[in-house]
Amino acid sequence: MTRYPRDMTGYGRKVPQANWPNGAKIAVQIVLNYEEGSENNILHGDAASEAFLSEITGAAAWPGQRHWNMESIYEYGSRAGFWRVHSLLKDIPITIYGVATALARAPQQLAAMKQAGWEIASHGLKWIEHKDMSVEEERAQIREAIRLHTEVVGTPPRGWYTGRCSMNTVDLAAAEGDFAYVADSYADDLPYWTRAGGKDQLIMPYTMDCNDMRFGIQAGFTNGEQFESYLKDSFDMLYAEGEAGAPKMLSIGLHCRLVGRPGRAMALKRALQHFMQHEGVWFATREQIADHWAKEHPPVKGLTPSDMDKATFVSEFGGVFEHSPWIAEGAFELESGPTHDNADGVHNLLARVFRSASEDQRLGVLTAHPDLAGKLAAAGRLTAESTAEQAGVGLDMLTDEEREAFTELNDTYTAKFGFPFIIAVKDNTKDSILEAFHRRIDSDRETEFAEACRQVERIAELRLQEKFGS
């Protein structure tokens, strides 16, 4: 099987009930990134100056040189911006994404964070790019970030967010740290579990849309009103979903040097006032949400076809299409991955093989199906699935008259079309099956062949839903 590692499904239609404390309709989670003093700078041993997320349009790294304007913009964040944001948020539970080397250069700011009771999560060792690092180098950076964070803050971090990450970051962070959550994802409005670093790791998705970083990019916010409006609209949409019974998490990302500017801070203040005018709003740290989620929704191990070898896959799904394991064998060879680890995903794989098969092959699948209430049923020779399905609508308890009627219809239908009458009995009753029998027996063969194939796919779909408990 060709593995496609991305999970494009997530919770799908089965969004879990968040059960936020006190019946809250929404969880509002605010992150303040503390990066000032950890950005690219030759003073920090880097090859060039910083070029990311500043007021300088089209900024470029200056190899081997310090960049006075860039440095002073970052210094604004630590000298003025932090304190302005602190005054707005000091009474709200928020999370700091603290870069370890930046925290080491900010004793007064760190003391203020701790006095406010804010969670201080790790934002890595330095605010630099990680995509080109070797696994060994990035692992060493994570280890040193945890060590330095623990030394500077006094406690180890329970949350991790690299931000400028690599394809190895989540696995490495999960393996190296005892984290309640890793936040390097933007994939959902709710926390979710994944396998990373050899264990079940809770992922707390972050945001790039409700994020003041959009003041520092060309396709972003140009004034505070746009930022405020976007935060309010995001809140209102999620709040309405919570009122409708599906509470979510609103994640907001802030930076001292960006939202700390007066015009932007005023927009943040107005957005906060809007949030607070509503009842049932839970302001929480990411740590609090992660602990709540782990308690309410611990990881559950279900069927994971993407982890199966071929023999296991065929053993598990070879009987879904009646007596046709070749369909499961073909499905195993198709591209699949975590997004197929559900009834819909496996059904799509199996159905693709069935639909692409020759007419003779599909006819073989049709003829593998037993007659309804026929001789095989009477002899007790049906598959377990067929036995349960027929019994579910009472076809195992027919009167002599009903059995005779089914036998006559079966014989007439099979003689006309060359395959048995097939219908998804779980969608029907005994009476509706008889009605369909009488109606379909007058079809032409092409029409009925197509209908029988659709019914075979539907039977497989229902069997998989039962197998996956959905």
Side-chain angles (χ1 to χ4, degrees):
M1 183 185 284
T2 303
R3 302 298 187 196
Y4 186 71
R6 299 167 66 195
D7 182 356
M8 309 297 287
T9 301
Y11 292 122
R13 290 170 289 189
K14 298 180 64 179
V15 179
Q17 179 57 244
N19 297 325
W20 299 138
N22 301 313
K25 301 175 180 67
I26 186 172
V28 175
Q29 204 298 297
I30 299 173
V31 165
L32 179 61
N33 291 267
Y34 197 88
E35 301 159 348
E36 288 73 16
S38 65
E39 75 277 12
N40 279 286
N41 191 316
I42 62 172
L43 293 176
H44 307 157
D46 302 308
S49 63
E50 186 56 72
F52 191 48
L53 288 188
S54 77
E55 308 291 342
I56 303 173
T57 302
W62 291 5
Q65 297 184 54
R66 292 176 64 186
H67 192 316
W68 183 263
N69 290 347
M70 183 65 74
E71 288 185 23
S72 64
I73 286 172
Y74 270 76
E75 288 163 16
Y76 183 93
S78 60
R79 294 164 58 106
F82 170 82
W83 299 107
R84 181 169 290 117
V85 176
H86 179 268
S87 70
L88 289 176
L89 301 178
K90 65 180 184 297
D91 297 322
I92 299 174
I94 74 166
T95 293
I96 295 291
Y97 282 169
V99 182
T101 50
L103 293 175
R105 297 182 174 114
Q108 289 192 17
Q109 294 91 333
L110 177 59
M113 296 172 194
K114 297 172 78 170
Q115 288 164 7
W118 291 346
E119 176 203 359
I120 306 175
S122 181
H123 195 3
L125 181 64
K126 298 169 66 177
W127 177 231
I128 59 175
E129 192 64 73
H130 294 74
K131 66 181 178 64
D132 297 320
M133 287 186 184
S134 67
V135 170
E136 292 73 21
E137 182 182 2
E138 188 174 4
R139 180 183 288 112
Q141 292 255 337
I142 291 172
R143 287 178 177 175
E144 177 59 14
I146 296 170
R147 186 205 67 78
L148 182 58
H149 182 109
T150 304
E151 178 183 284
V152 171
V153 177
T155 54
R158 295 195 68 225
W160 179 272
Y161 176 72
T162 294
R164 297 159 82 170
C165 61
S166 76
M167 292 304 296
N168 302 311
T169 297
V170 174
D171 267 324
L172 289 172
E176 295 300 325
D178 184 21
F179 296 123
Y181 67 88
V182 172
D184 281 296
S185 170
Y186 313 94
D188 215 297
D189 297 312
L190 288 171
Y192 62 91
W193 295 95
T194 191
R195 289 292 295 177
K199 64 183 180 183
D200 293 315
Q201 176 64 61
L202 186 65
I203 302 297
M204 284 278 291
Y206 188 44
T207 177
M208 284 190 177
D209 66 320
C210 292
N211 194 313
D212 66 0
M213 68 169 284
R214 299 186 69 79
F215 285 113
I217 60 176
Q218 288 185 342
F221 304 124
T222 57
N223 59 61
E225 195 172 59
Q226 292 175 342
F227 183 48
E228 173 193 352
S229 174
Y230 194 84
L231 292 182
K232 288 179 177 178
D233 283 347
S234 299
F235 175 90
D236 290 348
M237 183 68 192
L238 293 176
Y239 189 85
E241 291 180 8
E243 286 189 307
K248 306 290 195 322
M249 175 180 72
L250 173 62
S251 187
I252 298 171
L254 307 174
H255 298 76
C256 301
R257 64 191 175 279
L258 296 176
V259 81
R261 294 283 175 176
R264 298 166 185 159
M266 194 65 192
L268 174 63
K269 182 178 180 179
R270 291 194 299 268
L272 289 170
Q273 290 170 344
H274 177 75
F275 301 163
M276 292 176 180
Q277 289 169 1
H278 293 72
E279 294 182 356
V281 179
W282 181 37
F283 289 92
T285 68
R286 297 178 83 77
E287 181 181 28
Q288 289 171 327
I289 294 175
D291 287 343
H292 171 86
W293 199 266
K295 180 180 178 181
E296 290 287 325
H297 301 284
V300 177
K301 192 67 173 176
L303 277 177
T304 52
S306 62
D307 290 336
M308 296 177 181
D309 58 26
K310 187 171 185 177
T312 305
F313 186 89
V314 174
S315 173
E316 196 70 51
F317 303 111
V320 172
F321 279 73
E322 195 86 2
H323 295 297
S324 302
W326 61 269
I327 294 178
E329 292 170 358
F332 183 84
E333 302 301 332
L334 295 175
E335 177 187 279
S336 66
T339 200
H340 293 89
D341 288 344
N342 50 72
D344 289 338
V346 176
H347 182 260
N348 185 261
L349 294 173
L350 297 172
R352 285 174 58 188
V353 175
F354 177 65
R355 293 166 191 166
S356 300
S358 67
E359 183 171 331
D360 284 346
Q361 287 175 309
R362 283 180 288 151
L363 178 61
V365 176
L366 301 187
T367 56
H369 277 260
D371 291 337
L372 288 180
K375 296 176 181 178
L376 289 178
R381 292 170 55 197
L382 299 182
T383 63
E385 293 88 350
S386 290
T387 298
E389 288 158 0
Q390 294 201 23
V393 291
L395 296 185
D396 60 337
M397 299 179 65
L398 298 177
T399 64
D400 290 342
E401 183 178 349
E402 288 172 332
R403 188 174 294 104
E404 184 177 339
F406 267 100
T407 299
E408 183 178 340
L409 286 167
N410 279 328
D411 291 345
T412 303
Y413 183 97
T414 304
K416 179 176 180 179
F417 297 114
F419 50 84
F421 177 76
I422 301 171
I423 192 168
V425 296
K426 283 189 175 181
D427 290 334
N428 289 275
T429 64
K430 183 170 60 177
D431 290 340
S432 68
I433 291 171
L434 277 170
E435 186 278 326
F437 224 146
H438 285 290
R439 171 171 43 83
R440 286 169 50 186
I441 207 166
D442 291 328
S443 297
D444 61 81
R445 189 182 186 282
E446 181 179 356
T447 300
E448 193 54 24
F449 185 85
E451 179 60 28
C453 288
R454 281 192 291 271
Q455 293 295 326
V456 163
E457 290 189 22
R458 176 58 178 161
I459 291 168
E461 181 179 23
L462 291 167
R463 289 176 176 178
L464 286 165
Q465 288 174 0
E466 183 174 352
K467 183 180 284 287
F468 278 89
S470 56

